[in-house]
Amino acid sequence: MTGFGRGTAREGDAEATVEVRTVNGRFAEVSVRGLGELAEREAAIQGLVKVAIDRGNATVHVSASAGDGDSGLRVDTAAAARLGALLREAAEAAGLGAGAVTVADLLRAGDVLAPAPPDPAHAETAWAATRAALADALDRLEAMRRAEGAALHDDLAARADALEGLTRDVEQRAPIRLEVARQRLRDRLGDLADVPDLDPGRLEAEAVLLADKLDVTEETVRLRSHLDQFREALVEAEPVGRRLNFLAQEIGREVNTIGSKANDAELTRLSVSMKEELEKIREQVQNVV
């Protein structure tokens, strides 16, 4: 299910901002960006997010800043001393005199600033801030997903009701369609009344086979059962995305069979309408965890 959550937190001199974005997916997959010195915490962040989303693709962006005045750099004093000596030697060799070497000279000549070694205490503080910001972001993400879930519930419930209404129309039309087919068979039998050696028993058997071939009672009974289970799943608290997807497939089997048995313009129209509603259900079910 799609969603977005943004959280911020401060611990000591460290501040963190975490953003979590989710899109639909069959499994729980999490990518984390911007960790910096918290790279070793990637697996922990992925685990926390997977517990929260259960299913879907999530992207987590972490921005953790150090306290005031902490640039994350240090002066490489040995390199600075060597460069200063070399610059003075070069100046004397060029006859420029041994003037004072400026900071600008050192920065232009080479790297005298190096990344500061990691501070375990600061890393722990930054992780505490990041963990709190992540929890905040996941809470906001969950709130957004719940709101979307409520809208999905209403839409899917309405689609299920529409399918049940169409099923009722099929049940009302089926006997009429069957009687029309029987009358056609009677008319044909009337045309064959004068044919010698015509076996009435065989013709009656053909009538029974025709009725069985066109009967959709079993399909509508199973369809109603699937729709009842579908509505029951909609109100369950646990993740039901896979179950709804399975039920949508089973509903599709019955709808397709009804369409194949239609042999009637009105039933064909009803089966097409059922397929349209079912397709919308299938699209929406992909958004359910």
Side-chain angles (χ1 to χ4, degrees), residues 9-273:
R10 188 175 186 88
E11 293 288 338
D13 62 351
E15 185 175 4
T17 298
V18 177
E19 293 181 350
V20 183
R21 289 181 171 84
T22 59
V23 295
N24 300 329
R26 295 182 60 190
F27 308 102
E29 298 182 1
V30 182
S31 62
V32 188
R33 302 172 183 172
L35 284 176
E37 66 177 346
L38 297 176
E40 64 180 16
R41 303 290 187 175
E42 180 176 5
I45 292 174
Q46 289 175 329
L48 292 170
V49 175
K50 286 182 179 181
V51 169
I53 68 172
D54 188 70
R55 191 173 67 157
N57 298 327
T59 300
V60 182
H61 188 274
V62 178
S63 176
S65 62
D68 295 338
D70 187 354
S71 64
L73 298 173
R74 67 178 180 85
V75 176
D76 189 336
T77 55
R82 288 194 300 272
L83 279 172
L86 288 172
L87 288 172
R88 285 191 292 272
E89 182 180 347
E92 291 176 358
L96 300 177
V101 178
T102 66
V103 173
D105 294 332
L106 290 174
L107 294 176
R108 282 195 297 267
D111 294 330
V112 296
L113 297 179
D119 182 350
H122 178 267
E124 284 300 319
T125 304
W127 168 235
T130 299
R131 192 170 57 238
L134 176 62
D136 187 19
L138 291 175
D139 286 344
R140 296 174 186 273
L141 172 69
E142 178 65 14
M144 182 175 181
R145 283 156 63 94
R146 283 186 178 278
E148 182 180 349
L152 278 174
H153 169 276
D154 293 344
D155 183 74
L156 288 171
R159 302 288 181 196
D161 290 344
L163 267 176
E164 184 167 13
L166 290 167
T167 303
R168 185 166 53 250
D169 292 341
V170 167
E171 291 170 332
Q172 292 173 352
R173 177 62 187 175
I176 299 173
R177 181 277 315 260
L178 187 56
E179 183 56 35
V180 170
R182 284 173 175 165
Q183 186 58 48
R184 287 182 190 150
L185 184 58
R186 292 190 194 101
D187 293 342
R188 291 174 184 174
L189 292 177
D191 294 339
L192 296 174
D194 297 330
V195 176
D197 300 327
L198 185 63
D199 183 0
R202 176 64 183 275
L203 294 176
E204 182 62 27
E206 290 294 333
V208 172
L209 287 175
L210 176 64
D212 184 64
K213 180 180 178 181
L214 297 181
D215 186 37
V216 293
T217 302
E218 290 185 10
E219 287 75 15
T220 57
V221 169
R222 285 195 295 264
L223 184 52
R224 284 183 176 278
S225 174
H226 296 329
L227 289 172
D228 288 341
Q229 294 178 61
F230 190 91
R231 280 189 285 259
E232 290 172 2
L234 286 178
V235 297
E236 291 185 3
E238 62 185 26
V240 293
R242 291 185 176 89
R243 183 179 174 189
L244 291 177
N245 187 60
F246 170 76
L247 288 170
Q249 292 177 4
E250 294 304 303
I251 291 171
R253 294 179 190 276
E254 307 307 331
V255 170
N256 287 335
T257 304
I258 290 172
S260 68
K261 289 185 173 183
N263 195 32
D264 175 79
E266 178 60 15
L267 277 183
T268 298
R269 184 191 69 79
L270 290 172
S271 69
V272 169
S273 296

